[in-house]
Amino acid sequence: MPTLGTPITTDLLAPGSCWQLQKGVNGYAGVEGAGLATQAAAGRSFEVLDAAKPNKYQQPVTRLRVRLLEDGYPCWLDLREVNGQIIQRGSWRPQLLVIREIRQRLAAVMTWVEAAANQPNTYLWGGSIGPNFDCSGLVQTAFASQGIWLPRDAYQQERFCTPITVQPDNTKQLRPGDLIFFGSRQHCSHVGLYRGNGSYWHSSGQEHGRNGIGCDRLPAHDTHPVACYYRAELRGAGRVEHCHDGTTLP
């Protein structure tokens, strides 16, 4: 079995084989291009989905289609980034927590987010390692820091949570650690983490946000442009009451 530092040849990366990362890497959206789908931190594991094959021009293989095991998320890994930095492993099983255990860890989740916000950072589409995150990457990584795995994307996180009633001036049912969802009526496109007292942490972009992690408020008396923009897109809220089992979600 290959060990850390061993050059990985494409014949070892057979479909169905599982590997563990020893350093953080980018997970790309396609077989070519710089666009990120996500990132994977050191210690995470993946399953090879497709055999590594040369393209039609017989150029050397540079990317491999994989499924990240903790959240079932598909992406492409660059072989030049992982070569010598992965270890083959056996089958993977999720570590599922009960509601009581999740609730006991929420304070640490909130502490982690505040610490992340206090580091220099900018918004990064697909960012989930840090210090630069996208909205759902920040939420997923905050919970994962305490062993609580959530789906990767905001709309998946919305479906995953137990729905909680929320209005901009009615946050009585919310608790710190709940998720706040934003977007159009048809689709959830943004997520934040409820802090308490009507405020929430989120990583937002440049056009309508803070270009990084910031804290905004739901109530109408907050007239900051970022708060106003997301308030108008408020869809609902949800509570994390179970761990994701690694199933690939649509």
Side-chain angles (χ1 to χ4, degrees):
M1 179 177 292
T3 57
L4 183 62
T6 302
I8 302 299
T9 57
T10 55
D11 60 305
L12 291 173
L13 296 167
S17 63
C18 296
W19 303 79
Q20 185 178 58
L21 292 163
Q22 302 301 296
K23 71 169 187 175
V25 298
N26 291 326
Y28 294 96
V31 68
E32 296 179 344
L36 293 183
T38 189
Q39 293 177 313
R44 291 196 63 178
S45 297
F46 66 88
E47 176 189 9
V48 177
L49 293 180
D50 294 333
K53 298 177 181 178
N55 61 24
K56 64 182 178 180
Y57 302 108
Q58 297 300 306
Q59 295 173 332
V61 173
T62 58
R63 288 189 184 176
L64 186 71
R65 187 167 177 264
V66 306
R67 176 175 69 93
L68 300 176
L69 293 176
E70 295 83 1
D71 57 8
Y73 206 71
C75 63
W76 294 85
L77 298 184
D78 193 313
L79 295 178
R80 294 165 295 188
E81 294 182 17
V82 303
N83 205 1
Q85 298 293 331
I86 56 177
I87 297 175
Q88 192 167 11
R89 56 162 298 153
S91 60
W92 177 88
R93 293 183 180 180
Q95 299 295 315
L96 303 179
L97 304 176
V98 299
I99 293 178
R100 172 180 52 82
E101 294 171 313
I102 291 172
R103 289 175 178 171
Q104 290 172 344
R105 302 182 187 198
L106 288 180
V109 170
M110 303 305 295
T111 298
W112 185 95
V113 171
E114 186 166 1
N118 287 329
Q119 297 183 46
N121 68 89
T122 57
Y123 180 86
L124 175 65
W125 179 272
S128 59
I129 291 179
N132 305 322
F133 295 93
D134 66 15
C135 64
S136 55
L138 174 68
V139 169
Q140 185 192 56
T141 305
F143 279 85
S145 72
Q146 305 306 315
I148 307 166
W149 277 99
L150 306 182
R152 175 61 180 87
D153 291 334
Y155 74 94
Q156 296 171 335
Q157 293 171 1
E158 181 184 50
R159 296 173 184 175
F160 182 79
C161 288
T162 301
I164 303 295
T165 299
V166 61
Q167 296 293 333
D169 290 304
N170 183 2
T171 59
K172 293 180 181 179
Q173 293 193 37
L174 297 182
R175 304 172 186 167
D178 287 343
L179 305 190
I180 313 294
F181 301 107
F182 307 86
S184 67
R185 287 188 176 184
Q186 293 76 28
H187 182 70
C188 175
S189 58
H190 190 70
V191 60
L193 184 64
Y194 189 63
R195 185 183 185 186
N197 297 317
S199 66
Y200 59 96
W201 292 110
H202 64 142
S203 182
S204 53
Q206 286 184 295
E207 185 176 1
H208 300 294
R210 298 178 178 275
N211 192 27
I213 305 170
C215 188
D216 287 289
R217 295 179 59 82
L218 292 172
H221 61 73
D222 188 335
T223 59
H224 190 283
V226 174
C228 291
Y229 176 82
Y230 285 105
R231 184 185 303 119
E233 294 211 337
L234 178 64
R235 282 175 55 89
R239 184 161 296 151
V240 177
E241 296 189 325
H242 58 288
C243 292
H244 186 40
D245 62 4
T247 302
T248 297
L249 300 176

